[in-house]
Amino acid sequence: FYNSSLTAHAVARMSIQSALHQALEREEFHLLYQPLVHARTGRIIAVEALIRWQHPERGLIPPMEFIPLAEELGLILRIGDWVIRTACADAMRWRQMNLPRIQMSVNLSNIQFRNKDLLKDISHVLEQTGLPADCLELEITESALMEDAQGALAQMSALKKYSVKMALDDFGTGYSSLQYLKELPLSKLKIDRAFVTDLCSDSKSDEAIVRAVVSLARTLGMQVTAEGVETLDQANALVALGCDSLQGYYFSKPVFADAIPELMNRTWVLGSSPQST
């Protein structure tokens, strides 16, 4: 049945659609970066680029609200290209500051991943920015793999030949086939935060899942990153279970690019508070 809230929702959606078309030109998007910390050295080895939209009237609009809409409107390729270009430019700027090597991780939407020109677009950005291909890692979800497994294999194989790395994000929450998983040229599995949140509780199920993922990754020659680490106890448990790197608020919230050089000087020692070096 109709009610007035339906009209309000439709009007709000149309307003966002109109604004989204102009957001790139008006430079309303910006990137934040969340560090990935090496489990043994406690040093930052990578960052994940996260897009944010600062709407002039509505304020900060979360990605979960505008990314699906950008996909519906056919804008995701333009926005995705901007994200990769900006992230690579920032990574190159850090290299020019003589900071330790850091890998840039960028999320791809399913539409981006299926784009037949993805490799050409990536190579063009890397040539323009000067960032080495092996410093870029692209993150995809399990749903992107299962929509077209053979197409995914071909796309990833081409990217691997170009030295770009591939990671499977939110692993364990989708329906990926182990048959295809063993064939895909993935460099990393990222354990979803859902298996980290209750890791230190009395329940042993999450611990068993993390242990199984780490074992699977080792067998397939992949690294493991655990997302959503918020406490020292969680970090210690994940290191004990064999995770290679950790990501989450315990180490840092997503920050602007200018804050990364200072964070690079920090070392997190498991079992004590972060210290500057």
Side-chain angles (χ1 to χ4, degrees):
F1 294 95
Y2 172 81
N3 61 61
S4 59
S5 65
L6 295 177
T7 297
H9 177 76
V11 170
R13 179 182 172 86
M14 290 178 63
S15 175
I16 290 294
Q17 287 182 3
S18 177
L20 193 56
H21 277 283
Q22 305 174 59
L24 270 178
E25 287 74 12
R26 294 179 177 177
E27 299 183 350
E28 294 171 1
F29 293 120
H30 64 265
L31 292 184
L32 299 179
Y33 298 98
Q34 187 170 40
L36 280 70
V37 174
H38 193 279
R40 292 189 300 276
T41 67
R43 303 301 297 251
I44 295 175
I45 56 172
V47 295
E48 180 180 354
L50 303 166
I51 188 172
R52 298 291 185 265
W53 180 15
Q54 188 67 41
H55 191 279
E57 297 174 357
R58 294 188 53 182
L60 193 64
I61 300 178
M64 290 299 294
E65 187 172 337
F66 70 84
I67 291 297
L69 188 57
E71 292 177 337
E72 289 181 28
L73 298 174
L75 297 174
I76 195 62
L77 293 182
R78 287 180 57 206
I79 294 175
D81 180 74
W82 176 86
V83 170
I84 294 174
R85 189 176 302 277
T86 303
C88 289
D90 282 341
M92 191 61 193
R93 182 159 55 89
W94 297 329
R95 286 174 63 89
Q96 292 169 343
M97 296 170 65
N98 293 321
L99 294 173
R101 175 189 171 92
I102 187 170
Q103 190 171 64
M104 177 60 70
S105 184
V106 179
N107 292 280
L108 291 184
S109 75
N110 292 7
I111 294 175
Q112 282 179 277
F113 183 60
R114 294 197 304 269
N115 179 21
K116 61 181 179 61
D117 293 324
L118 177 63
L119 178 58
K120 182 179 71 175
D121 294 342
I122 292 290
S123 62
H124 185 59
V125 168
L126 293 175
E127 289 171 6
Q128 285 190 324
T129 60
L131 186 70
D134 62 355
C135 288
L136 177 63
E137 181 179 72
L138 303 177
E139 294 188 17
I140 58 174
T141 62
E142 292 179 78
S143 61
L145 297 180
M146 298 314 295
E147 285 181 10
D148 179 9
Q150 291 304 316
L153 177 59
Q155 186 81 290
M156 294 173 68
S157 297
L159 288 165
K160 183 180 181 180
K161 288 181 180 178
Y162 195 69
S163 297
V164 173
K165 294 179 171 57
M166 298 291 300
L168 189 58
D169 196 17
D170 300 334
F171 183 71
T173 61
Y175 304 95
S176 58
S177 165
L178 295 182
Q179 173 65 30
Y180 287 123
L181 192 62
K182 72 175 185 179
E183 298 175 357
L184 297 172
L186 289 162
S187 59
K188 181 188 296 180
L189 297 180
K190 297 191 74 174
I191 299 175
D192 188 75
R193 65 182 63 247
F195 305 112
V196 174
T197 302
D198 298 324
L199 188 61
C200 299
S201 66
D202 293 335
S203 173
K204 297 297 182 181
S205 57
D206 287 334
E207 178 181 330
I209 291 172
V210 172
R211 192 185 303 277
V213 171
V214 171
S215 177
L216 174 65
R218 290 288 176 272
T219 302
L220 298 177
M222 303 175 192
Q223 293 192 328
V224 178
T225 294
E227 299 180 291
V229 181
E230 297 185 353
T231 69
L232 179 58
D233 286 343
Q234 291 172 347
N236 282 333
L238 291 163
V239 172
L241 289 169
C243 291
D244 299 288
S245 56
L246 312 174
Q247 179 181 357
Y249 279 17
Y250 174 70
F251 304 102
S252 174
K253 294 182 178 181
V255 297
F256 285 101
D258 292 342
I260 291 298
E262 182 179 352
L263 280 174
M264 291 289 293
N265 291 324
R266 301 183 70 178
T267 299
W268 284 265
V269 181
L270 297 180
S272 64
S273 301
Q275 298 177 348
S276 296
T277 60

